[in-house]
Amino acid sequence: MARKKIREYDSKRLLKEHYKRLAGTELGIRSAQITESTDVNELVEKESWLSSEKLVVKPDMLFGKRGKSGLVALNLDLAQVAVFVKERLGKEVEMGGCKGPITTFIVEPFVPHNEEFYLNIVSDRLGCSISFSECGGIEIEENWDKVKTIFVPTGISFTSETCAPLVATLPLEIKGEIDEFIKVVFALFIDLDFTFLEMNPFTLLNGKPYPLDMRGELDDTAAFKNFKKWGNIEFPMPFGRVMSSTESFIHGLDEKTSASLKFTILNPKGRIWTMVAGGGASVIYADTVGDLGFASELGNYAEYSGAPNEEEVLQYARVVIDCATADPDGRKRALVIGGGIANFTDVAATFNGIIRALKEKESKLKAARMHIYVRRGGPNYQKGLAKMRTLGEEIGIPIEVYGPEETMTGICKQAIECITAAA
């Protein structure tokens, strides 16, 4: 499971579209999205309510506490919304220690209300936790003792009886409506492969639940079966995180292949770099470097899997090596080319692309005083490891080569010993 945050606009769009499909009734949700490229006149033609109702506008940037930070404007007309957006669009703000520009806003009807409820659903390995409170809104943390939580194991039906502890203290005139709402939202949560969903708050508008503020996360590994249901979904980068040109290049490669190619720069001046096969193995290597006290020296997180072809591996390896060898400072560096024991990937074939890249970048590797540590197992691994040993002799770069007899954590320790040893 890969939990990916989505914008509030998309969370509400999915809720509106699929609530009707699952419940047979429609939620009166209306929302519009404004970015730098938005033509407001065209938007008004599509969403006519924008010009006739009082509005709410706020950034839609995957961060919370917008109200407490003065980033929510209420009861505005469209002209005032335009001014609010113009004054903040592209401007850098700091939220939770992260700085970044505001690029996206959500605009909705202003809904006067007296009641604010809280609803949260989170999935984990064994089921889902559902939390509800009659005291939602910006003070939810101060009223956390009033939040009720139940756990629904995977495969167990979610009925009114199951939901009863959540709504037990509600007035009778709204209990049935909110009970039904929670059940449908939970069904939608499961049906669309949400991993996290929070409404804080939702209120009652004409007796019907209406989410005022909403957050959602989807399991993006379920995209293959949900692409029609999700529609044009976007998985934005976390707030404050902007892709570098090299990360964008790898992201483009990843989108064009059936394999998986991931690359994130953690510290461009780090002296330990990784190029790891397999999602699980890549986490083990990164975690081990951190556990041994050298997280500050970890230059990147990298993972390739799903049997990428030689050309894809070549392009991928070029980027990793260029980043790992940038701005040499005379100190030793280490590149860990690792992995677990492959099930079906031909190790020798994927090593061909890496070997070509290492040959191309020989001068850069030497200038950066790079030491290379290789550990791999799986189909044809002996041939692949033999090629790596031969390469070290050919280009005169220290390459330590191991098969599955060496532990993954072991070569991380060797890489750390390399960069900490006296010159």
Side-chain angles (χ1 to χ4, degrees):
M1 180 187 295
R3 300 173 183 265
K4 289 290 185 70
K5 292 183 178 181
I6 60 175
R7 297 197 190 276
E8 182 176 5
Y9 173 81
D10 281 322
S11 292
K12 289 179 174 176
R13 174 180 63 82
L14 292 176
L15 177 63
K16 179 178 180 178
E17 289 176 2
H18 297 284
Y19 193 94
K20 184 176 181 179
R21 174 174 64 87
L22 294 171
T25 59
E26 191 165 355
L27 294 177
I29 297 173
R30 292 176 292 172
S31 60
Q33 189 177 73
I34 297 180
T35 66
E36 187 178 14
S37 62
T38 301
D39 184 314
V40 175
N41 292 327
E42 289 183 4
L43 187 62
V44 171
E45 287 183 14
K46 181 181 176 183
E47 306 286 354
S48 59
W49 52 268
L50 286 168
S51 60
S52 60
E53 299 191 26
K54 290 295 185 179
L55 305 169
V56 175
V57 58
K58 53 192 173 182
D60 194 359
M61 297 294 301
L62 309 186
F63 57 70
K65 302 189 185 301
R66 293 169 293 184
K68 288 187 175 182
S69 303
L71 292 173
V72 178
L74 308 173
N75 204 19
L76 307 184
D77 60 27
L78 184 59
Q80 292 171 313
V81 167
V83 171
F84 182 91
V85 170
K86 184 178 180 180
E87 290 175 347
R88 292 162 180 80
L89 188 63
K91 300 295 174 62
E92 187 177 87
V93 298
E94 182 172 350
M95 299 295 294
C98 296
K99 293 181 179 180
I102 298 177
T103 62
T104 308
F105 292 83
I106 182 172
V107 184
E108 304 169 289
F110 174 62
V111 179
H113 60 279
N114 297 316
E115 299 166 302
E116 293 190 331
F117 304 97
Y118 172 81
L119 178 64
N120 175 283
I121 308 175
V122 183
S123 66
D124 64 24
R125 186 182 298 274
L126 300 177
C128 295
S129 296
I130 307 176
S131 300
F132 173 78
S133 175
E134 301 162 50
C135 301
I138 62 174
E139 305 299 333
I140 184 64
E141 292 176 0
E142 289 78 357
N143 290 290
W144 199 251
D145 59 316
K146 298 176 183 176
V147 175
K148 308 177 190 73
T149 300
I150 62 172
F151 183 76
V152 182
T154 300
I156 300 300
S157 298
F158 185 52
T159 63
S160 292
E161 183 179 358
T162 313
C163 188
L166 299 178
V167 299
T169 58
L170 288 175
L172 287 176
E173 58 269 23
I174 63 172
K175 181 184 289 188
E177 190 69 45
I178 292 181
D179 170 83
E180 182 64 20
F181 178 66
I182 294 174
K183 288 189 296 182
V184 175
V185 170
F186 180 75
L188 183 147
F189 181 94
I190 300 298
D191 183 70
L192 295 180
D193 287 287
F194 273 90
T195 59
F196 175 91
L197 187 152
E198 182 178 76
M199 299 179 200
N200 185 37
F202 75 87
T203 191
L204 295 175
L205 180 61
N206 299 320
K208 300 293 182 181
Y210 189 97
L212 299 174
D213 194 283
M214 186 171 173
R215 292 195 294 149
E217 297 177 15
L218 295 172
D219 177 2
D220 75 337
T221 62
F224 73 97
K225 70 186 183 75
N226 287 318
F227 65 94
K228 288 185 178 179
K229 293 178 182 177
W230 289 354
N232 186 26
I233 199 73
E234 175 193 8
F235 293 107
M237 297 287 288
F239 177 70
R241 177 87 172 85
V242 179
M243 278 192 185
S244 67
S245 58
T246 51
E247 290 169 329
S248 295
F249 177 76
I250 296 298
H251 183 71
L253 286 180
D254 183 56
E255 288 188 327
K256 296 182 181 73
T257 178
S258 59
S260 174
L261 301 169
K262 302 293 188 289
F263 180 70
T264 301
I265 294 176
L266 302 176
N267 175 12
K269 295 183 179 180
R271 292 193 292 148
I272 299 175
W273 293 75
T274 65
M275 193 179 343
V276 179
S282 63
V283 173
I284 290 173
Y285 282 84
D287 281 355
T288 300
V289 174
D291 287 344
L292 293 173
F294 285 82
S296 61
E297 289 287 4
L298 189 60
N300 71 312
Y301 168 80
E303 178 261 326
Y304 67 94
S305 59
N309 62 44
E310 182 176 329
E311 189 63 27
E312 291 168 341
V313 174
L314 171 63
Q315 294 186 64
Y316 181 78
R318 283 170 174 162
V319 169
V320 176
I321 296 168
D322 282 342
C323 292
T325 58
D327 304 319
D329 59 6
R331 297 184 298 167
K332 291 179 182 178
R333 302 184 188 185
L335 173 62
V336 177
I337 301 174
I341 300 175
N343 293 318
F344 61 89
T345 300
D346 187 322
V347 173
T350 54
F351 272 4
N352 286 339
I354 295 174
I355 288 169
R356 286 172 60 189
L358 291 170
K359 286 181 177 179
E360 288 180 10
K361 307 294 182 180
E362 176 185 339
S363 60
K364 285 190 172 185
L365 291 164
K366 288 179 176 177
R369 300 189 66 194
M370 187 68 73
H371 289 238
I372 299 172
Y373 297 87
V374 179
R375 189 271 187 190
R376 196 72 166 107
N380 221 7
Y381 82 92
Q382 295 96 335
K383 183 178 178 181
L385 298 181
K387 288 181 178 181
M388 282 289 187
R389 292 188 183 96
T390 301
L391 173 69
E393 296 169 1
E394 288 178 2
I395 64 178
I397 291 173
I399 302 181
E400 299 283 342
V401 181
Y402 302 96
E405 74 282 351
E406 178 60 88
T407 63
M408 290 187 281
T409 55
I411 66 165
C412 293
K413 186 177 180 181
Q414 289 188 49
I416 290 169
E417 290 172 347
C418 168
I419 68 166
T420 55

